[in-house]
Amino acid sequence: DSGVTQTPKHLITATGQRVTLRCSPRSGDLSVYWYQQSLDQGLQFLIQYYNGEERAKGNILERFSAQQFPDLHSELNLSSLELGDSALYFCASSPGTGNYGYTFGSGTRLTVV
Amino acid sequence: AQSVTQLGSHVSVSEGALVLLRCNYSSSVPPYLFWYVQYPNQGLQLLLKYTTGATLVKGINGFEAEFKKSETSFHLTKPSAHMSDAAEYFCAVSPWGNGGSQGNLIFGKGTKLSVKP
């Protein structure tokens, strides 16, 4: 157990739908990162939050949004889902803002049918 | 732009043989470099990292990597492979070098390591 908790582990939904992925960071960590892992694109950085504020943005689609709540958990919202959104979505956390290596959760596998 | 290239999407070694996984990077700033391992159906686990200082970095499970600035490389090695080392390995670079205020990473495509008995 890495200390980063992601729910649900698996999600199957239809095209056009909206889903919410949840992440609880490791105790004491203030930064949360979201990554998408797919066979064709590999691991792609989506977005970083630090203590409730957006800190960095990567290749995140406009249909996707995220937020970090006062208790530091984070949610990634994916809407108007397409088949190509099927992927593993990972959350990671770290104590601060800079990069000294962070801890990944075990991921949410999203399948869009 | 920063990037990471991992040579060889699949590497197969015999148990007890040397493991060498190659990683080359490009970075416009002094890089922070990382190796992560991913076992099937699990998240990524940090193996080792180079930030500053000693260029030979030791990590968990007997792995080590050497930062070679002149070759822009950060290859991962282990003297003797175990069956339990079979996994996918990812090299990553921090595009912000010393971290700054943003901590996102750029990952290579990964190398799947198989270990034959």
Side-chain angles (χ1 to χ4, degrees):
Chain A
D1 182 9
S2 67
V4 178
T5 304
Q6 289 188 249
T7 56
K9 290 196 182 306
H10 301 275
L11 201 47
I12 301 175
T13 190
T15 53
Q17 295 298 304
R18 171 190 168 96
V19 297
T20 298
L21 313 184
R22 182 187 168 102
C23 169
S24 293
R26 201 177 52 165
S27 178
D29 286 355
L30 299 178
S31 271
V32 169
Y33 309 80
W34 286 97
Y35 282 82
Q36 180 194 59
Q37 185 180 35
S38 62
L39 280 175
D40 53 344
Q41 296 290 327
L43 272 158
Q44 297 284 315
F45 168 69
L46 296 178
I47 198 163
Q48 175 194 0
Y49 278 84
Y50 173 74
N51 205 21
E53 292 187 3
E54 182 182 304
R55 187 58 68 114
K57 216 166 187 176
N59 300 320
I60 188 166
L61 300 172
E62 285 192 13
R63 301 183 284 109
F64 295 1
S65 64
Q67 54 183 326
Q68 186 179 28
F69 295 87
D71 67 352
L72 301 177
H73 91 271
S74 177
E75 292 181 357
L76 178 67
N77 299 297
L78 315 175
S79 62
S80 302
L81 285 167
E82 302 173 0
L83 296 177
D85 297 327
S86 297
L88 259 173
Y89 291 84
F90 284 108
C91 167
S93 71
S94 69
T97 56
N99 203 331
Y100 297 91
Y102 33 65
T103 304
F104 278 84
S106 56
T108 293
R109 183 173 292 279
L110 173 67
T111 303
V112 183
V113 297
Chain B
Q2 284 78 5
S3 67
V4 175
T5 302
Q6 290 185 240
L7 286 172
S9 58
H10 287 88
V11 169
S12 181
V13 301
S14 298
E15 195 173 18
L18 171 73
V19 175
L20 170 61
L21 304 182
R22 299 178 188 274
C23 173
N24 289 90
Y25 69 91
S26 70
S27 177
S28 56
V29 297
Y32 278 17
L33 295 159
F34 306 82
W35 276 100
Y36 283 84
V37 60
Q38 185 179 26
Y39 297 100
N41 300 314
Q42 294 187 28
L44 282 77
Q45 181 183 6
L46 181 64
L47 268 181
L48 50 79
K49 64 187 176 188
Y50 168 79
T51 53
T52 58
T55 56
L56 182 61
V57 179
K58 294 188 186 300
I60 61 172
N61 301 338
F63 284 93
E64 62 182 37
E66 186 170 12
F67 169 58
K68 290 188 177 180
K69 185 179 177 182
S70 61
E71 298 177 9
T72 60
S73 68
F74 191 57
H75 301 330
L76 182 71
T77 60
K78 181 173 180 177
S80 176
H82 295 153
M83 297 295 291
S84 60
D85 294 327
E88 191 157 18
Y89 293 80
F90 293 90
C91 182
V93 64
S94 170
W96 307 103
N98 67 358
S101 64
Q102 298 180 29
N104 53 295
L105 291 177
I106 295 172
F107 283 88
K109 295 286 190 186
T111 297
K112 206 163 273 188
L113 176 67
S114 302
V115 182
K116 298 174 291 188

